[in-house]
Coordinates of all heavy atoms in Angstrom, one line a residue:
M435 N -3.4 -8.5 -0.9 CA -2.4 -7.6 -0.7 C -1.1 -8.6 -0.7 O -1.0 -9.5 0.0 CB -2.4 -7.0 0.7 CG -1.2 -6.1 1.0 SD -1.4 -5.3 2.5 CE -2.4 -3.9 2.0
T436 N -0.1 -8.3 -1.6 CA 1.0 -9.0 -1.7 C 2.1 -8.7 -0.6 O 1.9 -7.6 0.1 CB 1.7 -8.8 -3.0 OG1 2.2 -7.4 -3.2 CG2 0.8 -9.1 -4.2
E437 N 3.1 -9.4 -0.6 CA 4.1 -9.1 0.4 C 4.8 -7.8 0.2 O 5.1 -7.1 1.2 CB 5.2 -10.2 0.5 CG 4.8 -11.6 1.0 CD 4.3 -12.5 -0.2 OE1 4.3 -12.0 -1.3 OE2 3.8 -13.6 0.0
R438 N 5.0 -7.5 -1.0 CA 5.6 -6.2 -1.3 C 4.7 -5.0 -1.0 O 5.3 -4.1 -0.5 CB 5.9 -6.2 -2.9 CG 6.6 -5.0 -3.3 CD 6.9 -5.1 -4.9 NE 7.6 -3.9 -5.3 CZ 8.7 -4.0 -6.0 NH1 9.4 -5.1 -6.2 NH2 9.3 -2.8 -6.3
Q439 N 3.4 -5.1 -1.2 CA 2.6 -4.0 -0.8 C 2.5 -3.9 0.8 O 2.3 -2.9 1.3 CB 1.1 -4.4 -1.4 CG 1.1 -4.1 -2.8 CD -0.2 -4.6 -3.3 OE1 -0.9 -5.5 -2.7 NE2 -0.8 -4.1 -4.6
A440 N 2.4 -5.1 1.4 CA 2.5 -5.0 3.0 C 3.8 -4.4 3.5 O 3.7 -3.6 4.4 CB 2.2 -6.4 3.5
F441 N 4.9 -4.7 2.9 CA 6.1 -4.2 3.3 C 6.0 -2.5 3.0 O 6.5 -1.9 3.7 CB 7.3 -4.8 2.5 CG 8.6 -4.3 3.0 CD1 9.2 -4.6 4.2 CD2 9.3 -3.4 2.1 CE1 10.4 -3.9 4.6 CE2 10.5 -2.9 2.5 CZ 11.2 -3.2 3.8
G442 N 5.5 -2.3 1.9 CA 5.3 -0.8 1.5 C 4.6 -0.1 2.6 O 4.8 1.1 3.0
L443 N 3.5 -0.7 3.1 CA 2.7 -0.2 4.1 C 3.4 0.0 5.4 O 3.4 1.1 6.0 CB 1.4 -0.9 4.4 CG 0.5 -0.6 5.5 CD1 -0.2 0.8 5.0 CD2 -0.6 -1.6 5.6
L444 N 4.2 -1.0 5.7 CA 5.0 -0.9 6.8 C 6.1 0.2 6.9 O 6.4 0.8 7.8 CB 5.6 -2.2 7.2 CG 4.8 -3.4 7.7 CD1 5.6 -4.7 7.8 CD2 4.2 -3.0 9.0
V445 N 6.6 0.3 5.6 CA 7.6 1.4 5.5 C 6.9 2.7 5.7 O 7.6 3.7 6.3 CB 8.3 1.2 4.1 CG1 9.0 2.5 3.7 CG2 9.3 0.0 4.0
R446 N 5.8 2.9 5.0 CA 5.1 4.2 5.3 C 4.6 4.6 6.7 O 4.8 5.6 7.2 CB 3.8 4.2 4.4 CG 4.0 4.4 3.0 CD 2.7 4.6 2.2 NE 3.0 4.6 0.8 CZ 3.1 5.8 0.1 NH1 3.0 6.9 0.7 NH2 3.3 5.7 -1.2
V447 N 4.4 3.5 7.4 CA 3.9 3.6 8.9 C 5.2 4.0 9.7 O 5.2 4.8 10.5 CB 3.3 2.4 9.4 CG1 3.2 2.3 11.0 CG2 1.9 2.2 8.8
L448 N 6.3 3.3 9.4 CA 7.6 3.6 10.1 C 8.0 5.1 9.8 O 8.4 5.8 10.6 CB 8.7 2.7 9.6 CG 10.1 3.1 10.2 CD1 10.1 2.9 11.7 CD2 11.1 2.2 9.4
G449 N 7.8 5.6 8.6 CA 8.0 6.9 8.2 C 7.1 7.9 9.0 O 7.6 8.9 9.5
V450 N 5.9 7.5 9.1 CA 5.0 8.4 9.9 C 5.3 8.5 11.4 O 5.4 9.5 12.1 CB 3.5 8.0 9.8 CG1 2.6 8.7 10.7 CG2 3.1 8.2 8.3
V451 N 5.8 7.3 11.9 CA 6.3 7.2 13.3 C 7.5 8.1 13.5 O 7.7 8.8 14.5 CB 6.4 5.7 13.7 CG1 7.3 5.6 15.1 CG2 5.2 5.1 13.8
L452 N 8.4 8.0 12.5 CA 9.7 8.9 12.6 C 9.4 10.3 12.6 O 9.9 11.0 13.4 CB 10.6 8.4 11.5 CG 11.4 7.2 11.8 CD1 12.2 6.8 10.5 CD2 12.2 7.3 13.0
V453 N 8.3 10.7 11.8 CA 8.0 12.1 11.7 C 7.4 12.6 12.9 O 7.7 13.6 13.5 CB 7.1 12.4 10.4 CG1 6.5 13.7 10.5 CG2 7.9 12.3 9.2
I454 N 6.5 11.8 13.5 CA 5.9 12.1 14.9 C 7.0 12.3 16.0 O 6.8 13.1 16.7 CB 4.8 11.2 15.2 CG1 3.6 11.3 14.3 CG2 4.3 11.3 16.7 CD1 2.6 10.2 14.3
D455 N 7.9 11.3 15.9 CA 8.9 11.4 16.9 C 9.9 12.5 16.7 O 10.3 13.2 17.6 CB 9.7 10.1 16.9 CG 10.6 9.9 18.2 OD1 10.1 10.1 19.3 OD2 11.8 9.7 18.0
G456 N 10.2 12.8 15.4 CA 10.9 14.0 15.0 C 10.3 15.3 15.5 O 10.9 16.2 16.1
L457 N 8.9 15.4 15.4 CA 8.2 16.6 15.9 C 8.3 16.7 17.4 O 8.5 17.8 17.9 CB 6.8 16.6 15.4 CG 6.6 16.7 13.9 CD1 5.1 16.6 13.6 CD2 7.1 18.1 13.4
K458 N 8.2 15.7 18.0 CA 8.4 15.6 19.6 C 9.8 16.0 19.9 O 9.9 16.9 20.8 CB 8.2 14.2 20.1 CG 8.2 14.1 21.7 CD 8.2 12.7 22.1 CE 9.6 12.1 21.7 NZ 10.0 11.0 22.5
Q459 N 10.8 15.5 19.2 CA 12.1 15.9 19.5 C 12.3 17.4 19.2 O 13.1 18.2 19.9 CB 13.1 15.1 18.6 CG 13.2 13.7 19.2 CD 14.0 13.6 20.5 OE1 13.4 13.2 21.4 NE2 15.1 14.2 20.6
L460 N 11.7 17.9 18.1 CA 11.8 19.3 17.8 C 11.1 20.2 19.0 O 11.7 21.2 19.4 CB 10.9 19.7 16.5 CG 11.2 21.0 15.9 CD1 12.6 21.3 15.5 CD2 10.3 21.1 14.7
W461 N 10.0 19.7 19.5 CA 9.5 20.4 20.7 C 10.4 20.4 21.8 O 10.6 21.4 22.5 CB 8.1 19.8 21.0 CG 7.6 20.4 22.3 CD1 7.4 19.8 23.5 CD2 7.1 21.7 22.5 NE1 6.8 20.6 24.4 CE2 6.6 21.7 23.8 CE3 6.9 22.7 21.7 CZ2 6.1 23.0 24.3 CZ3 6.3 23.9 22.2 CH2 5.9 24.0 23.5
L462 N 11.1 19.3 22.1 CA 11.9 19.1 23.3 C 13.3 20.0 22.9 O 13.8 20.6 23.9 CB 12.4 17.8 23.5 CG 11.2 16.8 24.0 CD1 11.7 15.3 24.1 CD2 10.8 17.2 25.3
L463 N 13.6 20.1 21.8 CA 14.8 20.9 21.5 C 14.5 22.3 21.7 O 15.3 23.1 22.1 CB 15.2 20.7 19.9 CG 16.5 21.3 19.5 CD1 17.6 20.6 20.0 CD2 16.5 21.1 17.9
F464 N 13.2 22.8 21.3 CA 12.8 24.1 21.6 C 12.7 24.5 23.1 O 13.2 25.4 23.6 CB 11.4 24.5 20.9 CG 10.8 25.9 21.3 CD1 11.3 26.9 20.8 CD2 9.8 25.9 22.1 CE1 10.9 28.2 21.1 CE2 9.2 27.1 22.4 CZ 9.8 28.2 22.0
M465 N 12.1 23.6 23.8 CA 12.1 23.7 25.3 C 13.4 23.7 25.9 O 13.6 24.2 27.1 CB 11.2 22.6 25.9 CG 9.7 22.6 25.4 SD 8.9 24.3 25.7 CE 8.9 24.5 27.4
R466 N 14.4 23.0 25.4 CA 15.7 23.0 25.9 C 16.4 24.4 26.0 O 17.3 24.5 26.8 CB 16.6 22.1 25.0 CG 17.9 21.9 25.5 CD 18.6 20.9 24.6 NE 20.0 21.0 25.1 CZ 20.9 20.1 24.8 NH1 20.5 18.9 24.0 NH2 22.1 20.2 25.2
L467 N 15.9 25.3 25.2 CA 16.5 26.6 25.3 C 16.2 27.4 26.6 O 16.9 28.3 27.0 CB 16.0 27.4 24.1 CG 16.3 26.9 22.7 CD1 15.7 27.8 21.6 CD2 17.9 26.9 22.5
F468 N 15.3 26.8 27.3 CA 14.8 27.5 28.6 C 15.3 26.8 29.7 O 14.9 27.2 31.0 CB 13.3 27.6 28.6 CG 12.7 28.4 27.4 CD1 12.0 27.7 26.5 CD2 12.9 29.7 27.3 CE1 11.6 28.4 25.3 CE2 12.4 30.5 26.3 CZ 11.8 29.7 25.2
V469 N 16.1 25.7 29.6 CA 16.6 24.9 30.8 C 18.1 24.9 30.8 O 18.7 25.0 29.7 CB 16.0 23.4 30.6 CG1 16.6 22.6 31.8 CG2 14.5 23.3 30.6
P470 N 18.7 25.0 31.9 CA 20.2 25.1 32.0 C 20.8 23.9 31.3 O 20.2 22.8 31.3 CB 20.4 25.0 33.5 CG 19.2 25.4 34.2 CD 18.1 25.1 33.3
A471 N 22.0 24.1 30.6 CA 22.6 23.1 29.8 C 23.1 21.8 30.5 O 23.2 20.8 29.9 CB 23.7 23.7 29.0
Y472 N 23.4 22.1 31.8 CA 24.0 21.0 32.6 C 23.0 19.8 32.8 O 23.4 18.8 33.2 CB 24.6 21.4 33.9 CG 23.6 22.0 34.8 CD1 22.9 21.1 35.7 CD2 23.4 23.3 34.9 CE1 22.1 21.6 36.7 CE2 22.5 23.7 35.9 CZ 21.8 23.0 36.7 OH 20.8 23.5 37.6
V473 N 21.7 20.1 32.6 CA 20.7 19.1 32.7 C 20.8 18.0 31.7 O 20.4 16.8 32.0 CB 19.3 19.7 32.8 CG1 18.2 18.7 32.9 CG2 19.2 20.8 33.9
F474 N 21.2 18.4 30.5 CA 21.2 17.4 29.4 C 22.4 16.6 29.2 O 23.5 17.1 29.6 CB 20.8 18.2 28.2 CG 19.6 18.9 28.2 CD1 19.5 20.2 28.6 CD2 18.4 18.2 28.0 CE1 18.1 20.9 28.6 CE2 17.2 18.8 28.0 CZ 17.0 20.2 28.4
H475 N 22.3 15.5 28.7 CA 23.4 14.5 28.4 C 24.2 14.9 27.2 O 25.4 14.8 27.2 CB 22.9 13.1 28.4 CG 24.0 12.1 28.3 ND1 24.9 11.9 29.3 CD2 24.4 11.2 27.4 CE1 25.7 10.9 28.9 NE2 25.4 10.5 27.6
Y476 N 23.4 15.2 26.1 CA 24.0 15.4 24.8 C 24.1 17.0 24.5 O 23.3 17.7 25.0 CB 23.3 14.8 23.7 CG 23.2 13.3 23.8 CD1 22.1 12.6 24.2 CD2 24.5 12.5 23.6 CE1 22.1 11.2 24.4 CE2 24.5 11.1 23.8 CZ 23.3 10.5 24.2 OH 23.3 9.1 24.3
P477 N 25.1 17.4 23.8 CA 25.1 18.8 23.4 C 24.0 19.2 22.4 O 23.4 18.3 21.8 CB 26.4 18.9 22.7 CG 27.0 17.6 22.3 CD 26.3 16.6 23.2
L478 N 23.8 20.5 22.3 CA 22.6 20.9 21.5 C 22.7 20.6 20.1 O 21.7 20.2 19.4 CB 22.4 22.5 21.7 CG 21.4 23.1 20.9 CD1 20.0 22.8 21.5 CD2 21.5 24.6 21.1
Y479 N 23.8 20.7 19.4 CA 24.0 20.3 17.9 C 23.8 18.9 17.6 O 23.3 18.5 16.7 CB 25.4 20.7 17.5 CG 26.5 19.9 17.9 CD1 26.9 18.7 17.3 CD2 27.2 20.2 19.1 CE1 27.9 18.0 17.7 CE2 28.4 19.5 19.5 CZ 28.6 18.2 18.8 OH 29.5 17.4 19.3
Q480 N 24.1 18.1 18.7 CA 23.8 16.7 18.4 C 22.3 16.3 18.5 O 21.8 15.6 17.7 CB 24.5 15.7 19.5 CG 24.5 14.3 19.1 CD 25.5 13.6 20.2 OE1 26.1 14.3 21.0 NE2 25.8 12.2 19.9
D481 N 21.6 17.0 19.4 CA 20.2 16.8 19.5 C 19.5 17.3 18.2 O 18.5 16.8 17.7 CB 19.6 17.5 20.7 CG 19.8 16.6 21.9 OD1 20.0 15.5 21.9 OD2 19.7 17.3 23.0
F482 N 20.0 18.5 17.7 CA 19.5 19.0 16.5 C 19.7 18.1 15.3 O 18.8 18.0 14.5 CB 20.1 20.5 16.2 CG 19.7 21.1 15.1 CD1 18.4 21.6 14.9 CD2 20.5 21.2 13.8 CE1 18.0 22.2 13.8 CE2 20.1 21.7 12.7 CZ 18.9 22.4 12.7
A483 N 20.9 17.6 15.2 CA 21.2 16.6 14.1 C 20.3 15.5 14.1 O 19.9 15.0 13.2 CB 22.6 16.2 14.1
Y484 N 20.0 14.9 15.5 CA 19.1 13.8 15.5 C 17.7 14.1 15.1 O 17.1 13.3 14.4 CB 19.2 13.3 17.0 CG 18.2 12.2 17.3 CD1 18.5 10.9 16.8 CD2 17.0 12.4 18.1 CE1 17.6 9.8 17.0 CE2 16.2 11.3 18.3 CZ 16.4 10.0 17.8 OH 15.5 9.1 18.1
T485 N 17.3 15.3 15.6 CA 15.9 15.7 15.1 C 15.8 15.9 13.7 O 14.8 15.4 13.1 CB 15.6 17.1 15.9 OG1 15.8 16.8 17.2 CG2 14.2 17.5 15.5
L486 N 16.8 16.5 13.1 CA 16.8 16.7 11.5 C 16.8 15.4 10.8 O 16.1 15.1 9.9 CB 17.9 17.6 11.1 CG 18.1 18.1 9.8 CD1 16.7 19.0 9.5 CD2 19.3 18.9 9.5
L487 N 17.7 14.5 11.2 CA 17.6 13.1 10.7 C 16.4 12.4 10.7 O 15.9 11.8 9.7 CB 18.8 12.3 11.3 CG 19.0 11.0 10.8 CD1 19.5 11.0 9.3 CD2 19.9 10.1 11.6
E488 N 15.7 12.5 11.8 CA 14.4 11.8 12.0 C 13.4 12.4 11.1 O 12.6 11.7 10.5 CB 14.0 11.9 13.5 CG 14.2 10.7 14.3 CD 13.5 10.7 15.6 OE1 13.3 11.7 16.2 OE2 13.3 9.5 16.0
L489 N 13.4 13.8 11.1 CA 12.4 14.4 10.3 C 12.6 14.1 8.7 O 11.7 13.8 8.0 CB 12.3 15.9 10.5 CG 11.8 16.3 11.9 CD1 11.9 17.8 12.1 CD2 10.2 15.9 11.9
V490 N 13.8 14.2 8.3 CA 14.1 14.0 6.9 C 13.9 12.5 6.4 O 13.2 12.3 5.5 CB 15.6 14.5 6.5 CG1 16.0 13.9 5.2 CG2 15.6 15.9 6.7
L491 N 14.4 11.6 7.2 CA 14.3 10.2 6.9 C 12.8 9.7 7.0 O 12.3 9.1 6.2 CB 15.0 9.3 7.9 CG 15.2 7.8 7.5 CD1 15.7 7.6 6.1 CD2 16.0 7.1 8.6
G492 N 12.0 10.2 8.1 CA 10.7 9.9 8.1 C 9.8 10.5 7.0 O 8.9 9.7 6.6
S493 N 10.2 11.7 6.5 CA 9.2 12.3 5.5 C 9.7 11.6 4.2 O 8.8 11.3 3.4 CB 9.6 13.7 5.4 OG 10.9 14.0 5.1
M494 N 11.0 11.1 4.0 CA 11.3 10.4 2.8 C 10.6 9.0 2.7 O 10.1 8.5 1.7 CB 12.8 10.2 2.8 CG 13.5 11.3 2.4 SD 15.4 11.1 2.4 CE 15.6 9.8 1.4
L495 N 10.5 8.4 4.0 CA 9.9 7.1 4.0 C 8.3 7.2 3.8 O 7.7 6.3 3.1 CB 10.2 6.3 5.2 CG 11.6 5.7 5.3 CD1 11.9 5.2 6.8 CD2 11.9 4.7 4.3
A496 N 7.7 8.1 4.4 CA 6.3 8.3 4.4 C 5.8 8.8 3.0 O 4.8 8.4 2.5 CB 5.9 9.2 5.4
R497 N 6.5 9.7 2.3 CA 6.1 10.1 1.0 C 6.5 9.4 -0.2 O 5.7 9.3 -1.1 CB 6.6 11.6 0.9 CG 6.1 12.5 1.9 CD 6.5 14.0 1.7 NE 6.4 14.4 0.2 CZ 5.4 15.3 -0.1 NH1 4.8 15.9 0.9 NH2 5.3 15.7 -1.3
S498 N 7.7 8.8 -0.1 CA 8.1 8.0 -1.2 C 8.9 6.8 -0.9 O 10.2 6.8 -0.8 CB 9.0 8.8 -2.2 OG 10.1 9.3 -1.5
P499 N 8.1 5.6 -0.5 CA 8.9 4.6 0.1 C 9.4 3.6 -1.0 O 9.9 2.5 -0.7 CB 7.8 3.8 0.8 CG 6.5 4.1 0.1 CD 6.8 5.5 -0.4
G500 N 9.4 4.0 -2.3 CA 9.8 3.1 -3.3 C 11.3 2.8 -3.3 O 11.5 1.5 -3.6
W501 N 12.1 3.5 -2.9 CA 13.5 3.3 -2.8 C 13.8 2.1 -1.7 O 14.6 1.4 -1.9 CB 14.3 4.6 -2.6 CG 14.1 5.2 -1.4 CD1 13.1 6.2 -1.1 CD2 14.7 5.0 -0.1 NE1 13.1 6.6 0.2 CE2 14.1 5.9 0.9 CE3 15.8 4.2 0.4 CZ2 14.5 6.0 2.2 CZ3 16.2 4.4 1.7 CH2 15.6 5.2 2.5
A502 N 13.1 2.3 -0.6 CA 13.2 1.3 0.5 C 12.7 -0.1 0.1 O 13.2 -1.1 0.4 CB 12.6 1.9 1.7
I503 N 11.6 -0.1 -0.7 CA 11.0 -1.2 -1.1 C 12.0 -1.9 -2.2 O 12.1 -3.2 -2.1 CB 9.6 -1.0 -1.7 CG1 8.6 -0.5 -0.7 CG2 9.0 -2.2 -2.4 CD1 7.4 0.1 -1.1
R504 N 12.7 -1.1 -3.0 CA 13.4 -1.7 -4.0 C 14.7 -2.3 -3.4 O 15.4 -3.2 -3.9 CB 13.9 -0.7 -5.1 CG 12.8 -0.5 -6.1 CD 13.2 0.4 -7.3 NE 13.7 1.7 -6.8 CZ 12.9 2.7 -6.7 NH1 11.6 2.6 -6.9 NH2 13.4 4.0 -6.4
L505 N 15.1 -1.8 -2.2 CA 16.2 -2.3 -1.4 C 15.9 -3.7 -0.9 O 16.7 -4.6 -1.0 CB 16.6 -1.4 -0.3 CG 17.4 -0.2 -0.6 CD1 17.6 0.6 0.7 CD2 18.7 -0.5 -1.3
A506 N 14.6 -3.9 -0.5 CA 14.2 -5.3 -0.1 C 13.9 -6.2 -1.2 O 14.1 -7.4 -1.1 CB 13.0 -5.0 0.9
W507 N 13.1 -5.7 -2.2 CA 12.7 -6.5 -3.3 C 13.2 -5.9 -4.6 O 12.6 -5.1 -5.2 CB 11.2 -6.5 -3.4 CG 10.6 -7.6 -2.6 CD1 10.5 -8.9 -2.9 CD2 10.0 -7.4 -1.3 NE1 9.8 -9.5 -1.9 CE2 9.5 -8.7 -0.9 CE3 9.8 -6.3 -0.5 CZ2 8.8 -8.9 0.3 CZ3 9.1 -6.5 0.7 CH2 8.7 -7.8 1.2
P508 N 14.5 -6.2 -5.0 CA 15.0 -5.8 -6.2 C 14.3 -6.2 -7.5 O 13.7 -7.3 -7.4 CB 16.5 -6.1 -6.2 CG 16.5 -7.3 -5.4 CD 15.4 -7.1 -4.3
E509 N 14.2 -5.5 -8.5 CA 13.5 -5.9 -9.7 C 14.3 -7.1 -10.3 O 15.5 -7.0 -10.4 CB 13.4 -4.8 -10.7 CG 12.5 -3.5 -10.1 CD 11.1 -3.9 -10.1 OE1 10.6 -4.7 -10.8 OE2 10.4 -3.3 -9.2
E510 N 13.6 -8.0 -10.8 CA 14.2 -9.2 -11.5 C 14.6 -8.7 -12.8 O 13.9 -8.1 -13.5 CB 13.1 -10.3 -11.6 CG 12.8 -11.0 -10.2 CD 11.7 -10.4 -9.6 OE1 10.8 -9.6 -10.2 OE2 11.6 -10.5 -8.4
S511 N 15.8 -9.1 -13.2 CA 16.3 -8.7 -14.5 C 15.7 -9.5 -15.5 O 15.4 -10.7 -15.4 CB 17.9 -8.9 -14.6 OG 18.1 -10.2 -14.4
R512 N 15.2 -8.9 -16.6 CA 14.4 -9.6 -17.7 C 15.4 -10.0 -18.7 O 16.1 -9.2 -19.3 CB 13.4 -8.7 -18.3 CG 12.4 -8.2 -17.3 CD 11.4 -7.3 -18.0 NE 10.4 -6.8 -17.0 CZ 9.5 -5.9 -17.2 NH1 9.6 -5.2 -18.3 NH2 8.7 -5.5 -16.3
S513 N 15.5 -11.4 -18.8 CA 16.4 -11.9 -19.9 C 15.7 -11.9 -21.2 O 14.5 -12.3 -21.3 CB 16.8 -13.2 -19.5 OG 15.8 -14.1 -19.4
S514 N 16.4 -11.6 -22.3 CA 15.9 -11.6 -23.7 C 16.1 -13.1 -24.2 O 17.2 -13.4 -24.7 CB 16.6 -10.6 -24.5 OG 17.9 -10.7 -24.6
S515 N 15.1 -13.8 -24.2 CA 15.2 -15.2 -24.7 C 14.8 -15.2 -26.1 O 13.6 -14.9 -26.4 CB 14.3 -16.2 -23.8 OG 14.8 -16.1 -22.5

């Protein structure tokens, strides 16, 4: 396994962790509807934005990590000799 493949695996694992945490946040967001608002530190729209960001970014990293890998390991330009 090369360094690039190992990094790809780590990116996918991070994506799965973000999706799992996003699902947990989605559950907490749903449960928040049944608790008075003064209990929470952040407003509802901010928690919703955080949950959405985690789910979208996590699914992008888990399903197609190629763009993140290219950020870390850019393709070498091929010179025409």
Side-chain angles (χ1 to χ4, degrees):
M435 179 179 280
T436 65
E437 293 92 3
R438 187 179 177 120
Q439 291 171 337
F441 183 73
L443 180 65
L444 287 175
V445 168
R446 284 185 187 264
V447 167
L448 177 66
V450 170
V451 168
L452 282 174
V453 167
I454 290 171
D455 192 53
L457 291 174
K458 180 191 73 159
Q459 285 296 119
L460 189 63
W461 173 253
L462 292 174
L463 192 65
F464 174 71
M465 294 308 293
R466 182 180 172 157
L467 299 174
F468 302 108
V469 179
Y472 66 85
V473 175
F474 299 100
H475 183 68
Y476 297 109
L478 182 64
Y479 71 89
Q480 194 170 359
D481 282 341
F482 178 73
Y484 175 71
T485 302
L486 190 63
L487 178 71
E488 266 195 329
L489 288 173
V490 168
L491 186 62
S493 63
M494 284 174 57
L495 288 175
R497 293 181 57 110
S498 59
W501 62 273
I503 296 170
R504 281 190 301 275
L505 284 175
W507 273 280
E509 297 292 326
E510 292 85 20
S511 61
R512 296 180 182 167
S513 60
S514 58
S515 302

